[in-house]
Amino acid sequence: NAGVTQTPKFQVLKTGQSMTLQCAQDMNHNSMYWYRQDPGMGLRLIYYSASEGTTDKGEVPNGYNVSRLNKREFSLRLESAAPSQTSVYFCASSGGSGPGFFGPGTRLTVL
Amino acid sequence: GENVEQHPSTLSVQEGDSAVIKCTYSDSASNYFPWYKQELGKGPQLIIDIRSNVGEKKDQRIAVTLNKTAKHFSLHITETQPEDSAVYFCALGDSGYALNFGKGTSLLVTP
């Protein structure tokens, strides 16, 4: 099993550009999550999906959209990137409440 | 979200010593308390968790204790090894899916 995979690993954007971060899990988990991690800030929840077909806002959803494409895949979209969105983004999944397995992360820089 | 205070922010111990990290919170509705380990350049890894109906849980050299009355929970690592060096995060939540994370403790185990 690959666990949770994320693409890309690194990305540099200019202000105003858009991009989609991809995430997939092969553990048949119902729940999937997107977190961002900033230095000294811990992890903050952007969006989560408790099950296929549902999504909910987390603590910091502004500037982001998500799509739960199917049970395996959960994507995060930045429509118009801003420097404040420079961060490391982690996708996670679990069979119940709370993230159990994290992906390796996407390091995003917005210039 | 729920405010989680994690202490200390950095901790240095000698190999073989014990390490203790403590988190405090204020929301008595919280009933799920996981701990994560994050190695450099990787995503967090769930290492142990505890629910509010249990006061202590142990897994080999790692243990978590919970004091719901005083609203704090702690991670205990015994017989520390250099590979225990990482950043450790506490988190907490209620029966839902969103967790609130502490800001992390950077643990260094010196040989």
Side-chain angles (χ1 to χ4, degrees):
Chain A
N1 287 352
V4 179
T5 57
Q6 293 183 236
T7 56
K9 286 186 167 47
F10 301 93
Q11 184 70 52
V12 179
L13 294 177
K14 295 181 179 177
T15 297
Q17 288 185 317
S18 62
M19 78 161 295
T20 300
L21 282 65
Q22 306 287 354
C23 173
Q25 52 92 9
D26 61 2
M27 294 172 282
N28 202 35
H29 286 162
N30 285 322
S31 307
M32 297 186 74
Y33 310 80
W34 277 106
Y35 283 86
R36 62 176 288 174
Q37 184 174 39
D38 302 294
M41 293 288 291
L43 291 112
R44 293 182 291 169
L45 182 64
I46 305 171
Y47 271 92
Y48 68 97
S49 170
S51 61
E52 185 179 354
T54 68
T55 61
D56 286 284
K57 295 179 181 179
E59 183 184 352
V60 288
N62 291 348
Y64 305 94
N65 285 302
V66 290
S67 294
R68 183 73 183 267
L69 304 170
N70 47 56
K71 192 170 187 179
R72 290 187 65 250
E73 298 171 289
F74 188 37
S75 63
L76 178 71
R77 182 159 178 86
L78 287 71
E79 290 291 352
S80 179
S84 60
Q85 294 177 305
T86 293
S87 189
V88 182
Y89 291 85
F90 289 101
C91 177
S93 71
S94 75
S97 49
F101 296 85
F102 281 81
T106 294
R107 283 147 185 81
L108 174 66
T109 300
V110 183
L111 302 174
Chain B
E2 162 71 54
N3 189 33
V4 186
E5 296 287 335
Q6 182 172 345
H7 297 280
S9 56
T10 61
L11 179 59
S12 182
V13 300
Q14 285 203 311
E15 184 176 0
D17 289 348
S18 295
V20 181
I21 303 168
K22 182 177 178 179
C23 285
T24 60
Y25 63 99
S26 56
D27 186 358
S28 55
S30 299
N31 59 17
Y32 178 59
F33 307 89
W35 285 89
Y36 296 84
K37 175 184 181 182
Q38 186 175 26
E39 297 175 344
L40 194 62
K42 297 185 177 180
Q45 173 191 7
L46 176 66
I47 56 172
I48 196 167
D49 58 9
I50 195 169
R51 296 195 181 270
S52 60
N53 58 345
V54 176
E56 181 175 0
K57 185 176 179 180
K58 192 172 181 181
D59 182 3
Q60 298 181 7
R61 296 185 297 107
I62 296 172
V64 56
T65 58
L66 171 64
N67 185 327
K68 284 217 77 178
T69 303
K71 295 191 179 69
H72 64 74
F73 58 111
S74 299
L75 178 70
H76 305 255
I77 306 174
T78 58
E79 301 171 31
T80 54
Q81 301 167 4
E83 51 265 38
D84 294 329
S85 297
V87 179
Y88 292 81
F89 293 95
C90 66
L92 58 85
D94 54 23
S95 55
Y97 294 86
L99 295 180
N100 289 300
F101 283 78
K103 291 193 166 82
T105 296
S106 180
L107 173 64
L108 177 64
V109 180
T110 55

